[in-house]
Amino acid sequence: MSNPVPEPTTKLSPEGVIAQLRTLQSQIEDVAPLSAEQRRQVKQRLRNHTKPVVEASINVIGVLDNLSQAIGQPLDDIRQLQDESLRWEAATDEARAFLRGIEGANLNRRQRLTLIATQAYTIGTQLARDPAKAVLVPHVEEVKRLKDASRRKKKLVATPPANDTSTTTNA
């Protein structure tokens, strides 16, 4: 049932991955991005309909032919939709794992880059003390300014406490 995956001969660039993902997306039927609100609503509707509940409910259809006619869906079509749903769920899991792998690799790249940048700044700071290497001073100062700016906490706008307008009277 699974298609053989050919071994890649060349490594893809990020742009190549994007191009292939777009090609892949164009080849898949019923790709339907949902807004955050739509996704929340659909998940809310599905909350009480677990896979075992759905499976048992579909089995009810198989008991009487009239039930399938009343729903307006042949049992074979329903079973095919169920099978597709399970197979696409596996594809979704694989895509998520792929995304996590890409994210992890990029975090490692960023970590290596940060280490190199930290070393460059540290060495540059030391070299900038030498008058013969004064050309480094503005660059080191810019890094220091950016680091200080990123450490500053944003000022919170103070909101006055709400006044309690209710009064109690003793009568």
Side-chain angles (χ1 to χ4, degrees), residues 69-80:
Q69 291 172 350
I71 294 172
Q73 297 284 328
L75 182 58
D76 290 342
D77 289 357
I78 296 168
R79 292 282 186 208
Q80 182 178 351

Side-chain angles (χ1 to χ4, degrees), residues 54-102:
V54 171
E55 175 70 28
S57 298
I58 290 171
N59 289 339
V60 170
I61 298 169
V63 175
L64 288 176
D65 290 335
N66 296 355
L67 192 55
S68 178
Q69 291 172 350
I71 294 172
Q73 297 284 328
L75 182 58
D76 290 342
D77 289 357
I78 296 168
R79 292 282 186 208
Q80 182 178 351
L81 180 61
Q82 182 182 28
D83 180 58
E84 285 178 21
S85 176
L86 292 172
R87 291 174 31 231
W88 276 109
E89 196 169 306
T92 300
D93 292 343
E94 191 66 28
R96 279 194 185 103
F98 175 64
L99 178 60
R100 284 192 301 272
I102 290 174

Side-chain angles (χ1 to χ4, degrees), residues 83-140:
D83 180 58
E84 285 178 21
S85 176
L86 292 172
R87 291 174 31 231
W88 276 109
E89 196 169 306
T92 300
D93 292 343
E94 191 66 28
R96 279 194 185 103
F98 175 64
L99 178 60
R100 284 192 301 272
I102 290 174
E103 287 174 332
N106 207 40
L107 282 172
N108 286 334
R109 284 184 200 96
R110 287 183 55 199
Q111 182 180 11
R112 286 194 330 254
L113 189 58
T114 300
L115 176 62
I116 293 167
T118 301
Q119 290 171 338
Y121 173 71
T122 302
I123 293 168
T125 300
Q126 293 170 358
L127 292 175
R129 295 178 188 160
D130 182 355
K133 300 195 176 50
V135 69
L136 292 172
V137 171
H139 296 282
V140 169

